[in-house]
Each structure stands twice: as structure tokens, then as C-alpha cells.
Amino acid sequence: MKLGTLEIHRGEKKSGYLKVKGCGLELPVTVIRGEGKRTALVTAGIHSAEYVGIQAAVELAQELCPEQVKGTVIIVPLVNVSGFAHRTMSVVYEDGKNLNREFPGAAEGTAADQICHTITAELFSKADYYIDLHSGDGYEEMQNYAYYVGPVEEAVRETSFQMARRVDAEYLVESRHTTGGAYNYASSMGIPSVLIERGGLGAWSREEVDLDKKDVRRILAYLKILNPEEEESGPVRTQLVFQEAVYENAPEGGLWYPVFRPGDFFKKGAVLGEIRDYFGNVLYECRARADGMILYQTVSLAVVKGGPMTAYGVMP
Ligand SMILES: [Zn+2]
């Protein structure tokens, strides 16, 4: 297998950098190659302040060895490298774009377009399965859950759903989108994919990192890329699947006062939060469009016009 300047033979593990064509940024990558044909791709840090997944991917890349892997595991522990270095959170430092809105990307665009294009061309082209690790952003608190894509080929949807079933979280969300996000676009290419959400607020803990690593190992064991006799490989728990989610962006900038916490249930019409001005006057009241449960929400006092405010799953 060739990946950028790396050449990886069976029985080898190699680490290096994958150059992004155009802007010249370099993505860290580790390839663990055992016997067997199938390839799983694991990425983290598409949003660079989502540290749980980044740390979990760094550790998985250190821990997995070719003798354990049936097939190949490619790990990119940090996609938004310049955002991490400059701490610009969910956006790319060079152009202010959110990578998870730009897939499949473009060779002739700005840095974010080129990163997405390189991942699509160099990594999705090699992947049979895809796991993407996320958290709430630096200003967001979150309920742990996992996404997979609904409106794709049935076999892709079913395998993606079974991968999501292996995530140690009480909730799953079936996404309706087939472009924009990395796992969304990969699914539309026929690659069974899952996005894991755990942690938030720019923090990470040993417990959360270990849970992320267990999720990845359980999914790889279910796919028989790790040995299911040595690893847990079954579904973890009963999960509620949201077929529909609502993402509310702030119509005004100002001070934001959420009412509920992630994991709280509410009825249609309930006030989910208010935006007030600097004198304390209410500018906007966000009301629930349906019965639902908070998946994640902004908890910084500042809310940005057009930026995320709250997101919830609609009760099936
Ligand atoms: Zn994210």
C-alpha cells in the first residue's frame, strides 16, 4: 500500500505525514497492515478542539500492531492540524471553514477544500469502513451518541447501523445528509461509516478516551479486522434511534441562556433557551418544534449569529 510518501508492506506499521495537495499542510498518519484485504479508516480532529477522539486515536495508533490486525487500519489522529496548533476550534485556521461542511472538497479551493479533497482522494479511496471521532466543540456540552447515514445503499446503511450499535452510548442518530460531513460523503461512496460523539467543552479525560478506544476496537472486532474472540464485538446496550434531528442556529448574536441539559427530554413548544441583549432584554426565544431530547447545546454565554445554539433528536 502506498500513502503519500509511505510504502507499507504486510506485517508492517509505519507513521508519517500525508501532504495536502495545494496548501502544503501535512496530516499525521499511521498505517497498521496485517494479513487480509479489508481496510478500516479512523480519523479524529476534523474539529480540532474535540480532544477525546484525538487522544484516543493517538493511543490506538501506538497500541495496535500488525499481528493483531486482519487487514489494514489507517489512523489519522488530527485532520485540522492548523486549527489545533492555533486553537481555532471547529474551523480551519487558514480560511475559517468547518471541514465537516465541505466534503468531498475541491483541489482548487482554499485549505479546507483541499484537506477534504485529499482525504476523499487518498483515504476514502482505500477505505472499506470508516470511523470518525468527534465531541462537542470548545463551547458545547453533549450527550454521548453516534451517527450513521440513512439514505444510502441498504447494505451500507445496515453495516453502518451495526457499527453504531457497537458504540457504548444510549442514543443513535440516523442522518439524512449524504454530503458535507466526512462520514456522510463516505457513506454515499458506499463505505459503511459511523461518527462517534463523546465529551466536549474542550476537555478530555482518561475515562472518555478509554471508552472511545473500546468503541473503535469493538467495531473493528465486529468487522473481524480485530479478532472477535479476543475483543468484545457485540452490541453494547439498548439504544434509542432518532430518525430525525433538529439543529437550531442563533438568529441573533448575544447572550444565550439554555434551559435544559443534554439528555433531558422535553415536549413540543417548550422553551429551550433565550437570547438576550447586553441589557438583559429577551431578543429571541427558542421553542421546541417537536417532543425531543437535547443532543448538544452551546453553553458559552456568547452565542454567535448564524452559529450553533442547540440540537435535539425528535422522539420517534
Ligand atoms: Zn465535531
Side-chain angles (χ1 to χ4, degrees):
M1 176 184 278
K2 279 191 175 168
L3 186 56
T5 56
L6 291 179
E7 197 171 318
I8 314 99
H9 300 278
R10 296 199 187 283
E12 287 186 339
K13 169 171 165 174
K14 284 191 180 168
S15 296
Y17 287 90
L18 176 63
K19 221 180 191 93
V20 177
K21 287 189 192 107
C23 64
L25 289 168
E26 292 185 314
L27 312 184
V29 59
T30 296
V31 182
I32 305 117
R33 193 148 189 240
E35 297 296 330
K37 288 204 169 104
R38 295 176 312 155
T39 297
L41 170 65
V42 180
T43 63
I46 277 185
H47 297 139
S48 60
E50 298 178 2
Y51 299 132
V52 175
I54 296 169
Q55 182 59 24
V58 165
E59 293 182 18
L60 282 166
Q62 288 181 302
E63 288 164 8
L64 290 175
C65 56
E67 299 74 47
Q68 295 172 296
V69 171
K70 198 162 186 298
T72 302
V73 180
I74 303 173
I75 301 177
V76 180
L78 177 58
V79 176
N80 183 4
V81 279
S82 60
F84 186 89
H86 294 274
R87 222 153 49 193
T88 52
M89 297 208 274
S90 57
V91 297
V92 171
Y93 174 70
E94 283 77 7
D95 56 17
K97 290 182 181 172
N98 179 340
L99 288 168
N100 239 20
R101 306 282 179 273
E102 304 298 337
F103 277 87
E108 301 303 319
T110 59
D113 306 304
Q114 291 166 345
I115 292 169
C116 294
H117 177 75
T118 296
I119 288 176
T120 303
E122 301 283 340
L123 298 173
F124 290 167
S125 61
K126 295 179 175 64
D128 299 299
Y129 307 98
Y130 178 36
I131 304 166
D132 192 19
L133 304 177
H134 285 251
S135 309
D137 206 334
Y139 52 86
E140 282 169 345
E141 61 174 11
M142 174 170 270
Q143 172 70 41
N144 303 331
Y145 64 102
Y147 284 106
Y148 62 97
V149 178
V152 288
E153 228 176 284
E154 177 50 29
V156 174
R157 193 205 70 88
E158 176 59 22
T159 303
S160 302
F161 173 65
Q162 291 302 332
M163 290 163 71
R165 292 279 289 117
R166 271 68 193 172
V167 176
D168 191 354
E170 281 177 76
Y171 304 99
L172 303 180
V173 177
E174 186 175 295
S175 172
R176 314 315 304 165
H177 302 287
T178 54
T179 56
Y183 84 104
N184 308 82
Y185 187 72
S187 301
S188 76
M189 288 174 74
I191 305 166
S193 303
V194 63
L195 184 156
I196 301 172
E197 298 274 23
R198 175 171 288 114
L201 290 170
W204 65 278
S205 67
R206 172 50 39 205
E207 190 193 358
E208 290 168 319
V209 168
D210 286 346
L211 286 169
D212 256 16
K213 282 161 59 179
K214 269 194 178 167
D215 286 345
V216 172
R217 297 186 83 104
R218 207 181 289 108
I219 292 168
L220 293 177
Y222 160 71
L223 297 170
K224 298 194 172 69
I225 290 174
L226 288 179
N227 187 349
E229 280 159 30
E230 291 170 22
E231 308 269 344
E232 295 172 49
S233 62
V236 184
R237 49 163 99 204
T238 310
Q239 290 161 319
L240 176 62
V241 181
F242 294 108
Q243 306 276 349
E244 197 187 337
V246 176
Y247 303 91
E248 293 281 10
N249 289 332
E252 307 273 356
L255 286 68
W256 164 244
Y257 301 88
V259 171
F260 294 98
R261 301 291 309 277
D264 283 350
F265 291 85
F266 52 81
K267 290 285 181 196
K268 182 178 178 174
V271 176
L272 302 180
E274 286 176 349
I275 301 173
R276 297 182 200 155
D277 67 13
Y278 302 130
F279 304 102
N281 303 309
V282 176
L283 297 174
Y284 179 75
E285 203 175 55
C286 178
R287 284 185 180 270
R289 297 165 196 266
D291 293 1
M293 188 205 80
I294 304 286
L295 293 166
Y296 63 88
Q297 63 186 4
T298 293
V299 287
S300 60
L301 186 57
V303 74
V304 178
K305 184 174 181 173
M309 189 166 57
T310 189
Y312 54 92
V314 174
M315 290 309 291

